[in-house]
Amino acid sequence: MEARSPPLFLHRIAHAGKTRLLGAALGTAVFAGALTGVQAAHADTPTDTTAATAQTQQAVKAQDVINLALTQVGISENAAGGGTKFHQWYMASPRALETVARDGGSVSAYANAPWCAMFVSWVGEEAGARPSVGWDAYTVTHAKWFNDNQRWGTTPKPGAVVFFGWNGGKRFDDIDHVGFVIQDNGNGTLKTIEGNTGNGKVEVRTRPTSQVVGYGYPDYAA
């Protein structure tokens, strides 16, 4: 979710089968981070781009990220659609202040926002892979960041960040939801781990590849 105020533009975004009425920005500014060997030239580049940080994230394997994500299965939102530790972490992070400065609104607006991107961002942070997993609360800008850093594609890989569009569209603006790929099932479906599912939880899901807009590829260790 991304809010811009004033004025507040209302936008219906379907997240995992639920339609939420949200304040969303019409701008397309993307957040920037650091991928190994890639220096993103954006105004809102996070400051954790030291050599030590890059070295740490290079040691993280795709399976490490998947395993960490799986430990969160069952965590559920509250009746307002928020209140998870992923919301709390994002609101307390410097990234929340950066996105508010970029988009307007307030940090408190994230408290009950759709949280699929916050979940992915939290996993990247906790796994030590933030520089190449990225962090944001809005799926579209997260996907564009991967694309801008030449880490975007259409091949499912374990640990890839998968972006879904429920209407089958393939544009960035068609993106509704995000999670991690666990495996390609080889039959036109993926096994994924996602937050903010239709049940309001972190769950393992089977999704048709026809609903995939694309994949972001973190720079995992071999």
Side-chain angles (χ1 to χ4, degrees), residues 107-125:
V107 170
S108 63
Y110 294 117
N112 296 314
W115 48 282
C116 54
M118 293 188 226
F119 169 70
V120 168
S121 300
W122 181 91
V123 172
E125 166 81 358

Side-chain angles (χ1 to χ4, degrees), residues 14-45:
H15 275 256
K18 299 183 295 185
T19 302
R20 305 272 184 87
L21 188 62
L22 305 172
L26 297 183
T28 58
V30 296
F31 77 92
L35 295 174
T36 302
V38 179
Q39 178 62 50
H42 290 71
D44 60 343
T45 303

Side-chain angles (χ1 to χ4, degrees), residues 153-178:
T154 57
T155 302
K157 301 177 182 179
V161 180
V162 54
F163 294 87
F164 298 100
W166 304 137
N167 66 3
K170 302 303 178 185
R171 302 174 305 163
F172 288 112
D173 288 343
D174 292 320
I175 293 171
D176 297 307
H177 187 59
V178 64

Side-chain angles (χ1 to χ4, degrees), residues 50-147:
T50 64
T53 300
Q55 184 175 10
T56 298
Q57 72 89 22
Q58 281 183 338
V60 179
K61 297 180 180 180
Q63 195 60 50
D64 297 331
V65 168
I66 293 170
N67 290 344
L68 175 60
L70 289 171
T71 66
Q72 307 305 303
V73 168
I75 291 178
S76 181
E77 64 189 37
N78 61 23
T84 70
K85 68 180 182 180
F86 314 116
H87 291 85
Q88 294 166 5
W89 164 78
Y90 191 82
M91 292 169 66
S93 74
R95 186 63 192 154
L97 294 174
E98 291 173 358
T99 51
V100 165
R102 182 188 70 194
D103 305 320
S106 66
V107 170
S108 63
Y110 294 117
N112 296 314
W115 48 282
C116 54
M118 293 188 226
F119 169 70
V120 168
S121 300
W122 181 91
V123 172
E125 166 81 358
E126 290 295 305
R130 183 210 295 170
S132 67
V133 170
W135 56 342
D136 210 316
Y138 185 40
T139 54
V140 173
T141 52
H142 199 165
K144 288 180 177 179
W145 175 76
F146 278 111
N147 184 67

